């Protein structure tokens, strides 16, 4: 592996945690205000929309890191040697699913950003509890969100496992086994939170 490749993979790994992973956690937390009803959710959305330098913040701290992570991630997917048919052990499957969920998450993210951010900027469409509720009342859209949620959360949780190895934090087999359980639990908890939010929009 060349020095440039080593450096880019390190930055790619780091960007998946900071700021993208933190943004995912914040996004789930903010959306959880839907559990308290339309008024609480709409107030939270209005607060974010009135932040100074919002566009600058979104581009610099969210858009650019996601773009780098996505495009370099696609390169990693392209050069990855998937051999699950030859070696179907657990970590090999996790390696394969990390690449599959990268594609699914990217498709979901592009659609999600367009509907809830770009469409508002271009056509001044409403972003509110009521608008999201109306969209999720479509069973196909709801199912799409479930798939996107599960893919994004898996990619984050399993990516955290690989991040800890890449950065030399979990070196031995015991440490890696423990973090397998921890990141697995994180995957379940975040999915429960996310699904509860989606259901809250459809009540």
């Amino acid at each position: 592996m060349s020095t440039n490749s080593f450096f880019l993979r390190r930055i790619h790994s780091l960007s998946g945690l900071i700021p993208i992973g933190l943004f995912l956690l914040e996004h789930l937390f903010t959306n959880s205000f839907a559990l308290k009803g339309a008024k609480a959710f709409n107030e939270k959305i209005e607060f974010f929309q009135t932040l100074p330098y919002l566009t600058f913040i979104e581009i610099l701290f969210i858009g650019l890191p996601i773009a780098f992570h996505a495009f370099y991630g696609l390169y990693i997917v392209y050069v990855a040697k998937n051999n699950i048919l030859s070696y179907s052990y657990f970590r090999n499957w996790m390696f394969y699913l990390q690449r599959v969920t990268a594609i699914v998450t990217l498709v979901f993210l592009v659609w999600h950003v367009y509907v809830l951010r770009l469409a508002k900027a271009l056509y001044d469409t409403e972003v509110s509890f009521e608008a999201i509720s109306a969209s999720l009342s479509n069973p196909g859209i709801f199912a799409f969100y479930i798939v996107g949620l599960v893919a994004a959360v898996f990619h984050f949780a399993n990516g955290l496992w690989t991040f800890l190895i890449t950065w030399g934090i979990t070196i031995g087999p015991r440490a890696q086994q423990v973090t397998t359980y921890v990141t697995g639990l994180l995957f379940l908890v975040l999915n429960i939170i996310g699904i509860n939010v989606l259901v809250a929009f459809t009540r």
Side-chain angles (χ1 to χ4, degrees):
M1 181 183 295
S2 67
T3 302
N4 287 340
S5 178
F6 175 82
F7 176 75
L8 287 173
R9 283 180 179 266
R10 283 293 184 96
I11 298 301
H12 179 263
S13 174
L14 182 62
S15 67
L17 182 64
I18 304 170
I20 299 172
L22 294 180
F23 174 68
L24 173 64
L25 297 178
E26 181 278 323
H27 203 53
L28 288 173
F29 173 76
T30 299
N31 288 343
S32 293
F33 279 85
L35 297 169
K36 299 174 70 67
K39 184 175 183 294
F41 179 81
N42 289 338
E43 287 177 350
K44 184 59 64 174
I45 294 300
E46 184 178 353
F47 166 75
F48 279 108
Q49 291 179 344
T50 56
L51 288 175
Y53 311 111
L54 177 60
T55 301
F56 174 79
I57 292 171
E58 288 179 326
I59 293 174
L60 183 62
F61 296 105
I62 301 174
L64 291 179
I66 288 178
F68 166 75
H69 193 83
F71 284 111
Y72 193 73
L74 288 175
Y75 168 75
I76 292 175
V77 170
Y78 176 74
V79 300
K81 297 179 180 180
N82 298 306
N83 56 356
I84 58 171
L85 296 180
S86 302
Y87 306 99
S88 57
Y89 52 87
F90 176 74
R91 266 301 141 197
N92 214 25
W93 272 103
M94 295 298 100
F95 175 88
Y96 177 71
L97 289 175
Q98 186 71 1
R99 274 100 190 120
V100 171
T101 55
I103 301 298
V104 175
T105 301
L106 180 58
V107 171
F108 172 74
L109 183 62
V110 169
W111 184 86
H112 184 64
V113 169
Y114 172 77
V115 170
L116 293 182
R117 192 66 184 93
L118 294 182
K120 174 176 173 55
L122 294 173
Y123 311 114
D124 197 29
T125 57
E126 181 184 36
V127 178
S128 65
F129 183 97
E130 293 77 14
I132 297 172
S133 180
S135 178
L136 290 176
S137 64
N138 182 319
I141 298 297
F142 186 84
F144 182 60
Y145 264 83
I146 292 290
V147 172
L149 168 70
V150 173
V153 170
F154 177 89
H155 195 75
F156 168 66
N158 190 60
L160 177 58
W161 186 88
T162 58
F163 169 86
L164 294 173
I165 293 178
T166 299
W167 288 83
I169 299 172
T170 52
I171 301 175
R174 175 61 179 170
Q176 293 173 13
Q177 183 180 40
V178 170
T179 54
T180 295
Y181 295 133
V182 171
T183 54
L185 179 61
L186 178 65
F187 169 75
L188 291 175
V189 170
L190 293 182
N191 270 301
I192 290 172
I193 293 172
I195 291 172
N196 276 341
V197 168
L198 292 175
V199 171
F201 280 113
T202 61
R203 288 172 183 163

